[in-house]
């Protein structure tokens, strides 16, 4: 079974530039999550999709971050414009359903460095 | 959301058992206890979860205190590949609540050959 795919794996940009990350979840998984992990901390949820609808985006900085999952499969997370404090690993995860005891499967992440 | 407390770091020698503690004194009666681990340069991966009874799977065992205010993840024979950050997370099974994982800083386990 293929895992969660993310690209790119690494990205370096200057502040005020824009960047986009892509995620392809495990086939058949209805729920997709984007997490932000700052160095030395645990991951923090940014946004959760159930199929193509947003379930929770309470921690997403909406003035600069946006995410979409138009066809209920793959998803993109965009930052525009980037700030230095956005330097982090961005993790995508998926689960079969949105039920809380469903295991979440994580991708390898995209490491973003903002200079 | 109920919080968990874990030691920042622990050490073990290869092939020895490892007991990773987690305190969750404010756990509710319906919260499940989940463990995930994060190997270097990888995303977190599920390890095990339980409610009241002790649980075993191919990766580890989970021992839950009778009052459920603490739990212990047990790796029976640590290998070098078990070196990771281990996260103890409480999850509310209420389907009307978001099922997001709330990570703390976890326990960094070092395994020495």
């Amino acid at each position: 079974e293929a895992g969660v795919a993310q690209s790119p794996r690494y990205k370096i940009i200057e502040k005020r530039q824009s960047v986009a990350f892509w995620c392809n979840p495990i086939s058949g998984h209805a729920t997709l999550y984007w997490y932000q992990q700052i160095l030395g901390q645990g991951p923090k949820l940014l946004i959760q999709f159930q199929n193509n609808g947003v379930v929770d985006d309470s921690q997403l900085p909406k003035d600069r971050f946006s995410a979409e999952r138009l066809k209920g499969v793959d998803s993109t997370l965009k930052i525009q414009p980037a700030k230095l404090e956005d330097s982090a690993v961005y993790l995508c995860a998926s689960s079969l359903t949105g039920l809380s005891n469903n295991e979440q499967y994580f991708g390898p992440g995209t490491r973003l460095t903002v200079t | 959301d109920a919080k968990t407390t874990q030691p920042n770091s622990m050490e073990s020698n290869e092939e020895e058992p490892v007991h990773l503690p987690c305190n969750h004194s404010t756990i509710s009666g319906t919260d499940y206890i989940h463990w995930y681990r994060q190997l270097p340069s990888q995303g977190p991966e599920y390890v095990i979860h339980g409610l009241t009874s002790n649980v075993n799977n191919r990766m580890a065992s989970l021992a839950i205190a009778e009052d459920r205010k603490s739990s212990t993840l047990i790796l029976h024979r640590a290998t070098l590949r078990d070196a990771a950050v281990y996260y103890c997370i409480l999850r509310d099974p209420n389907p009307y609540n978001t099922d997001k994982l709330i990570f703390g800083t976890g326990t960094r386990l070092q395994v020495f050959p």
Side-chain angles (χ1 to χ4, degrees):
Chain A
E1 179 182 82
V4 176
Q6 290 188 248
S7 67
R9 290 295 312 277
Y10 305 92
K11 190 73 176 178
I12 300 174
I13 62 172
E14 295 181 351
K15 59 184 179 184
R16 291 186 290 273
Q17 287 186 323
S18 58
V19 64
F21 312 125
W22 175 81
C23 171
N24 189 27
I26 292 173
S27 177
H29 279 196
T31 311
L32 185 147
Y33 315 79
W34 284 101
Y35 289 84
Q36 179 193 58
Q37 185 171 24
I38 294 171
L39 187 64
Q41 300 181 17
K44 181 186 80 172
L45 181 75
L46 292 175
I47 189 167
Q48 176 184 343
F49 291 95
Q50 182 72 16
N51 297 308
N52 61 351
V54 175
V55 174
D56 184 352
D57 64 356
S58 57
Q59 299 294 305
L60 188 73
K62 298 180 186 65
D63 58 335
R64 297 183 302 106
F65 286 64
S66 64
E68 60 183 14
R69 193 185 184 200
L70 292 175
K71 296 183 179 178
V73 180
D74 56 356
S75 175
T76 55
L77 176 69
K78 297 179 182 177
I79 308 175
Q80 182 180 7
K83 293 184 175 181
L84 295 176
E85 59 259 36
D86 298 332
S87 293
V89 175
Y90 290 85
L91 295 160
C92 180
S94 69
S95 66
L96 193 58
T97 73
L99 295 179
S100 64
N101 278 328
N102 273 183
E103 178 178 347
Q104 290 188 19
Y105 296 82
F106 285 80
T110 296
R111 182 176 297 278
L112 174 67
T113 302
V114 182
T115 63
Chain B
D1 297 305
K3 293 184 178 178
T4 63
T5 304
Q6 300 177 252
N8 288 333
S9 64
M10 292 186 65
E11 297 177 353
S12 174
N13 293 318
E14 204 173 7
E15 298 189 4
E16 289 184 352
V18 180
H19 291 230
L20 297 165
C22 180
N23 288 319
H24 28 78
S25 58
T26 59
I27 190 171
S28 76
T30 56
D31 284 342
Y32 278 74
I33 303 158
H34 286 244
W35 285 81
Y36 279 71
R37 73 178 185 180
Q38 188 170 20
L39 303 173
S41 300
Q42 295 188 26
E45 64 176 351
Y46 168 82
V47 177
I48 199 167
H49 78 276
L51 182 62
T52 56
S53 303
N54 295 343
V55 184
N56 300 294
N57 66 20
R58 64 175 178 80
M59 290 181 70
S61 296
L62 177 60
I64 302 172
E66 197 169 332
D67 63 5
R68 298 199 342 114
K69 293 184 185 300
S70 65
S71 60
T72 303
L73 180 71
I74 302 167
L75 307 179
H76 295 285
R77 292 183 66 202
T79 69
L80 296 178
R81 194 192 174 277
D82 291 322
V85 178
Y86 287 79
Y87 297 98
C88 170
I89 302 167
L90 301 182
R91 301 186 77 184
D92 180 353
N94 185 335
Y96 296 102
N97 291 337
T98 180
D99 69 333
K100 65 186 177 186
L101 294 173
I102 300 176
F103 291 84
T105 52
T107 297
R108 181 173 298 278
L109 175 66
Q110 290 182 284
V111 180
F112 298 105

